[in-house]
Amino acid sequence: KLKHRLKILRNQNLEQEYYALLGQRESQPLRKLYYRLESVLLRRQEARLQGAAVFCTVALHDHDFFKQMYPGKIHAYIPSFQPYTRVVARTGCGKYALYHGNLGHPENEEAALFLLQEVIPRVGLPFIIAGRMPGKAIKQACARQKGVTLIENPAMEQMERLISEAQMHVLPTFQATGLKLKLLHALFNGRHVLVNKEMIAGTGLEAACTLAEGASGFVACIREKEQQPFTEEDITYRQQLLSQHYNNQANAALIKSFLTTIHPE
């Protein structure tokens, strides 16, 4: 039915790679098998993408992958559309650091446990871990750490308040796949944002974040930002950086240009 229709691929990440990495990190045998099977099936489905005329990818490394796999097509790096139009971070200082995400997801569970076991014990700043469906390992690790508050399944309004009032967002990840939307959420709505290279891979957001590597790197960056106020100048600078790539109107216009170029009528 789509044979003679213009087809544009809008991928969020390399799904087969994403599920393969989840399988490597999953400890439960059935879940590990599920992720590996999904990766195989997704890789097979990818052969059908030859029918797309335009590839609009949200991350730079995904753009390079599809450009190599499907030469002769139109390829464009167009970051994710998002509901934010301007940076609304609060100025001044907050009183805690925040990690947030779907805590039932293996990728986020690994990141939260890394912070709880290797970073938080070495800093004095109160820490909040917030998100959906935390497992037993996260609950136990939070209970063992003084100064850590676990907020399970927060309502949207509560999460927005936690993000806006935090002094910093500490967001490591160990899978450099796609764009993490929680990173955009923190950059548009929060103060200082601390990440590792995997979190910002292919996003063009390096200058908007504070880069930390390894546990010692995160500890050092947390100490550096703990008493550093977030200023109006910081907001202006971040707005300029985000507007370069994450401008909904400009990105929509670019996609529209493909339609008029291929089918000018």
Side-chain angles (χ1 to χ4, degrees):
K1 292 181 180 181
L2 296 177
K3 184 176 181 180
H4 300 293
R5 303 290 294 273
L6 171 64
K7 292 174 281 293
I8 298 177
L9 176 71
R10 180 65 168 157
N11 77 305
Q12 294 302 307
N13 53 38
L14 300 179
E15 293 289 347
Q16 70 274 29
E17 177 185 291
Y18 179 66
Y19 276 89
L21 290 172
L22 287 177
Q24 292 176 15
R25 289 186 154 78
E26 179 59 58
S27 58
Q28 296 185 19
L30 287 178
R31 287 185 181 179
K32 181 182 288 289
L33 178 62
Y34 164 75
Y35 289 132
R36 288 179 175 176
L37 179 59
E38 283 294 300
S39 178
V40 171
L41 294 175
L42 286 163
R43 194 175 301 276
R44 291 177 181 174
Q45 288 294 316
E46 188 185 282
R48 303 177 64 185
L49 301 183
Q50 185 65 40
V54 181
F55 289 74
C56 299
T57 48
V58 304
L60 287 169
H61 48 66
D62 294 3
H63 172 268
D64 296 339
F65 172 84
F66 284 109
K67 191 172 184 178
Q68 181 179 0
M69 288 292 295
Y70 300 96
K73 307 291 186 176
I74 296 176
H75 295 273
Y77 162 55
I78 303 179
S80 295
F81 291 93
Q82 30 74 35
Y84 321 112
T85 57
R86 63 188 181 92
V87 175
V88 294
R90 296 187 181 187
T91 56
C93 292
K95 297 181 179 180
Y96 58 86
L98 174 67
Y99 176 82
H100 69 280
N102 180 353
L103 300 176
H105 197 286
E107 179 184 358
N108 294 331
E109 182 180 50
E110 181 182 19
L113 290 174
F114 162 75
L115 293 174
L116 286 162
Q117 295 166 357
E118 302 185 41
V119 176
I120 294 174
R122 299 163 60 185
V123 298
L125 186 67
F127 229 97
I128 292 178
I129 308 291
R132 295 178 55 236
M133 301 175 62
K136 182 178 179 181
I138 289 180
K139 292 180 180 180
Q140 291 179 341
C142 287
R144 288 193 295 266
Q145 292 296 334
K146 183 179 179 181
V148 173
T149 301
L150 174 63
I151 299 180
E152 301 182 43
N153 306 309
M156 182 61 70
E157 296 79 8
Q158 184 181 17
M159 180 60 79
E160 294 292 344
R161 188 179 73 253
L162 290 171
I163 290 172
S164 66
E165 294 180 355
Q167 169 65 2
M168 67 188 76
H169 301 266
V170 188
L171 299 174
T173 188
F174 301 99
Q175 288 193 196
T177 51
L179 172 71
K180 309 297 190 290
L181 294 179
K182 65 182 174 184
L183 173 60
L184 279 183
H185 198 165
L187 286 170
F188 274 99
N189 298 281
R191 295 187 177 98
H192 305 290
V193 179
L194 282 55
V195 300
N196 57 355
K197 65 180 185 297
E198 287 84 2
M199 177 60 77
I200 54 174
T203 66
L205 294 173
E206 293 82 357
C209 305
T210 298
L211 184 63
E213 289 306 326
S216 296
F218 274 102
V219 170
C221 289
I222 290 171
R223 290 173 177 169
E224 174 189 347
K225 300 297 183 183
E226 183 174 359
Q227 301 296 330
Q228 181 176 322
F230 202 71
T231 66
E232 290 289 351
E233 290 75 15
D234 292 324
I235 293 175
T236 299
Y237 177 65
R238 185 180 289 177
Q239 182 70 58
Q240 292 172 346
L241 291 172
L242 291 171
S243 296
Q244 292 176 16
H245 297 296
Y246 295 86
N247 183 309
N248 287 342
Q249 287 71 31
N251 290 337
L254 183 55
I255 294 178
K256 183 179 178 181
S257 72
F258 299 141
L259 303 178
T260 56
T261 298
I262 298 172
H263 291 294
E265 70 276 7

